[in-house]
Structures are given as C-alpha cells and as structure tokens.
Amino acid sequence: MKIRTGFGFDVHRLETGRPFFLGGVQIPHSHGALGHSDADVLIHALCDALLGAAGLGDIGIQFPDTDPAYKNIDSKILLSRVMDLLKAKNYRVGNVDATLVLEKPKISPYLTRMKETLTPILGIPYDDLSIKATTNEKMGFIGREEGVAAYAICLLESV
Ligand code: MG
C-alpha cells in the first residue's frame, strides 16, 4: 500500500458582523472570518493538506477565488469536491490532525460537532480526525484578534 502525507495552512482576517464558520460549524461570536467563500479556515487548511498529499495543487488552484461560483460557498462543499478528486486518483484518507490558532472564543465546546460534521465527508471514523485549538498567547495579529489560522496534516492511502 502506498501512503502519502500532506500539509495545509490557512489564515483569514476577522471582522465584526460576519458569521464565523470553523470546521463546518457556525460558532457564536462577535467576529467572523472574511473571505470569498464562507472563510472556514479549518476546512481550507484541511483541503490543502489533502490536495497536497495527492499532488493536486491547492485550494486556490482547484477553486479560484475569482470564480463567482465560489462566492460565499459552504466550504463543506469544497471539501466534498476535494474528496471526489482524491477518489478519482484512488486515494482514501487514513487520518487527519489539525490545529486551530485563535484567541477567542473557546473552541472546545464545538470540537465534537466539528468532528461529527467532517468525518462523514472525509469517509473516516470519528477518532481518525483530530482537531486541537490553541491561542497565540495574545501575540501578533492572532493575539490582537485580527485573524485566525489553521494547520492540518493528513495521511492518504492508495486504495
Ligand atoms: Mg482560506
């Protein structure tokens, strides 16, 4: 069996009055992420990890932000399309590990729902998706609550 690893990173600016989507779940908060799609930074990092592992470029290549088709699109749809691309190359996901970096709000109450939302799309058991969250210790743009970042790594297995 051939295995491949991939890494993804994404960052989005935070603005008042925007809905805040993380890991496919809407989080109640004063701020939300700004972007062409629904700006779900965790799903975007995840998509880039998966695309990278499969040698399929990145989310910007597959779903250009100049294309009006992707305006405000639910990032779960982008993740589903990434999975279709992987299936076409005979890959399945082994496991995924991700870290969110943001100051507020506390993410732990939402981690279960994020995993319940994303694992069916990824086609993996609940325990094969790990999502962690940390603050940036009040330093830099994340510390000033101007932005949110996410990192993800994944393992792909050839079917
Ligand atoms: Mg993004």
Side-chain angles (χ1 to χ4, degrees), residues 10-12 37 39-41 44-45 59:
D10 194 28
V11 63
H12 279 268
S37 65
D40 190 321
V41 71
H44 294 181
I59 198 169

Side-chain angles (χ1 to χ4, degrees), residues 43-57:
I43 293 185
H44 294 181
L46 191 46
C47 286
D48 267 5
L50 296 167
L51 291 168
L56 288 167

Side-chain angles (χ1 to χ4, degrees), residues 42 72 93 112 130 156:
L42 179 60
N72 294 324
V93 179
T112 300
S130 156
L156 294 187

Side-chain angles (χ1 to χ4, degrees), residues 88-138:
K89 287 194 85 175
N90 296 317
Y91 286 118
R92 69 174 173 224
V93 179
N95 74 299
V96 173
D97 186 21
T99 300
L100 275 165
V101 192
L102 75 171
E103 290 298 323
K104 282 181 194 165
K106 278 249 173 293
I107 294 303
S108 51
Y110 308 104
L111 291 178
T112 300
R113 258 174 68 211
M114 288 181 192
K115 289 173 61 168
E116 285 170 352
T117 302
L118 297 179
T119 49
I121 304 172
L122 292 164
I124 56 176
Y126 180 85
D127 288 338
D128 288 346
L129 171 60
S130 156
I131 305 172
K132 312 179 298 299
T134 184
T135 71
N136 213 42
E137 296 287 343
K138 296 189 162 57

Side-chain angles (χ1 to χ4, degrees), residues 21-76:
F21 293 99
L22 284 175
V25 172
Q26 189 167 355
I27 311 284
H29 191 47
S30 56
H31 289 61
L34 191 67
H36 183 68
S37 65
D38 68 4
D40 190 321
V41 71
L42 179 60
I43 293 185
H44 294 181
L46 191 46
C47 286
D48 267 5
L50 296 167
L51 291 168
L56 288 167
D58 62 34
I59 198 169
I61 290 170
Q62 297 291 347
F63 315 111
D65 65 6
T66 48
D67 188 334
Y70 303 121
K71 179 94 182 127
N72 294 324
I73 195 169
D74 181 338
S75 291
K76 294 191 289 296

